[in-house]
Amino acid sequence: MRFSKIHIFICLVVAASSGADRRATLVGRAKLAEQAERYEDMAAFMKEVCDMGGMLQQEERNLLSVAYKNVIGPLRRALRITNSVQQKTADERKLKTIAEYKKGLEGKIKQVCDEVQEILIQLIKGAKVEADKSAYDRETAEKLEESHVFFLKMQGDYYRYEAEIEEKINGPVADKALNSYNSAIDAGPTLKPTHPMRLGLALNFLTFYYEIMNNPEKVCELAINAFNGAIAELDTLNEDSYKDSTLIMQLIRDNITLWNCDNGKDSDREG
C-alpha cells in the first residue's frame, strides 16, 4: 500500500500531538502524586517523561528532582539512624540483625541512585548538545546552560549519596561525584555568582567536601569564595531569583560560621 506525502504528514502531526498529550498527562499525574505525597509514583511518571526524549522544561526537571529527592531522602535518613543504633549496640545477635537490615537499605539506595544516573546520562548528553549550539539568542543560551549545570549537579548529588555508603574518601564513587561537580562548574561559565543554580551547586559541593572528602580546608575556601563572590554582585540580583539566592547565601554563611571558617578552624560537627 502506498501513502501520499500528505497522508504521511498528517500521521506525523497526529503522532506528535499524541506524544505531547501523553507528556502533559504524565506531568499532570506527577503533580498530583506530589500533592498526595506519593513520591515513588511521581518518580515513575517523570521517568516516563524522560524516556520520551527531548529537552525537559524547567518545571519538568524540577518535578524530576523533587520526586527522586523525596524517594531517596527517607532511605538516607533511615540509614543514618540505623548506623547510629549500630554504634550503640554491643549485643552480637542484635548487631547481626542490624547489619542485615543496613545492607538492605544500602541496596535500595544504590538502586535509586543507579536509576537516576541512567536517566541523567541521556539528559546530560542532550543538554550538552543543545548548549554547544551557537544559533541561539542570549536568553535561550543561558537557559540551556542552566539546564546543563542542573543535570550535572544532580548527577554529583546522587554519586554523593552512593559515596555515603562507600565510606571511602578516594573511592571510585566519590571520584565520580567530584568529577560531576567540577563538570557542573565548568558547564556554567556565564552564570553569575548570585545565580541560584550556581549558589546551589556551591552549597552541595561544600557538603561533598565536608561529609565525603573530609577536607575542612577546602570546604572553607569554597564557602568563603562563593559567599564573597555573591556579596560582591548583590546588585545583579533580579526579583525572580532574589528569594532563592539570598536563602542559599544564608545557608552558606551559616556553614561558614558552623565550620569556624572565619577563624581558619573546623568545627567538631560530624559529617
Side-chain angles (χ1 to χ4, degrees):
M1 182 182 293
R2 298 183 62 185
F3 296 98
S4 67
K5 291 182 178 180
I6 293 178
H7 183 87
I8 294 173
F9 175 74
I10 291 173
C11 289
L12 290 172
V13 170
V14 171
S17 176
S18 177
D21 289 344
R22 176 62 179 165
R23 193 182 190 97
T25 298
L26 288 168
V27 169
R29 289 176 179 174
K31 291 179 181 178
L32 179 59
E34 180 182 16
Q35 289 178 300
E37 297 184 2
R38 291 283 301 172
Y39 297 108
E40 290 187 357
D41 292 343
M42 184 183 181
F45 292 138
M46 291 313 302
K47 182 179 185 301
E48 191 172 343
V49 170
C50 294
D51 289 343
M52 295 179 73
M55 290 292 296
L56 296 190
Q57 300 299 315
Q58 182 175 348
E59 179 185 46
E60 293 173 342
R61 74 178 192 229
N62 287 340
L63 288 169
L64 177 71
S65 177
V66 168
Y68 279 102
K69 186 174 182 179
N70 281 282
V71 169
I72 203 165
L75 292 172
R76 293 174 67 219
R77 286 192 294 274
L79 183 58
R80 285 195 293 268
I81 293 170
T82 302
N83 284 334
S84 178
V85 172
Q86 186 179 44
Q87 292 169 6
K88 298 173 183 177
T89 302
D91 185 280
E92 289 297 327
R93 190 165 57 181
K94 290 182 179 179
L95 282 172
K96 182 179 179 181
T97 300
I98 293 170
E100 291 173 352
Y101 183 69
K102 178 180 175 180
K103 185 177 180 180
L105 285 174
E106 290 175 343
K108 290 178 181 178
I109 289 173
K110 189 177 187 309
Q111 183 179 358
V112 174
C113 289
D114 288 346
E115 183 174 308
V116 173
Q117 296 297 0
E118 186 178 342
I119 294 170
L120 289 173
I121 286 172
Q122 296 305 316
L123 292 175
I124 290 170
K125 186 184 297 183
K128 185 179 187 308
V129 168
E130 292 299 321
D132 286 346
K133 293 179 180 178
S134 57
Y136 291 115
D137 59 81
R138 181 177 177 181
E139 182 179 355
T140 302
E142 287 178 353
K143 288 181 178 179
L144 289 171
E145 182 178 304
E146 181 181 327
S147 182
H148 193 195
V149 173
F150 181 96
F151 295 132
L152 285 166
K153 169 184 167 292
M154 189 172 174
Q155 184 181 61
D157 290 341
Y158 281 82
Y159 279 135
R160 171 163 59 89
Y161 302 152
E162 194 173 345
E164 292 172 349
I165 299 172
E166 187 180 55
E167 296 181 348
K168 294 179 181 178
I169 291 176
N170 294 312
V173 181
D175 286 343
K176 289 179 181 179
L178 179 61
N179 290 335
S180 294
Y181 284 131
N182 280 325
S183 294
I185 292 171
D186 293 341
T190 68
L191 296 183
K192 296 178 181 178
T194 53
H195 195 291
M197 186 65 65
R198 182 165 169 177
L199 286 168
L201 171 60
L203 181 63
N204 289 17
F205 207 7
L206 296 177
T207 303
F208 168 75
Y209 265 107
Y210 187 83
E211 297 184 348
I212 306 299
M213 302 300 285
N214 192 25
N215 189 335
E217 292 79 12
K218 186 67 174 180
V219 167
C220 289
E221 176 191 337
L222 291 172
I224 291 172
N225 287 344
F227 184 79
N228 289 344
I231 286 291
E233 296 197 26
L234 271 180
D235 58 340
T236 65
L237 273 176
N238 58 55
E239 294 182 4
D240 294 335
S241 63
Y242 182 86
K243 184 177 179 180
D244 289 339
S245 294
T246 52
L247 175 61
I248 301 172
M249 287 174 66
Q250 184 59 53
L251 291 173
I252 294 174
R253 177 68 251 184
D254 290 346
N255 283 338
I256 290 173
T257 302
L258 179 66
W259 296 325
N260 291 328
C261 292
D262 292 329
N263 299 323
K265 300 177 182 178
D266 182 36
S267 74
D268 292 329
R269 177 187 179 229
E270 295 182 359

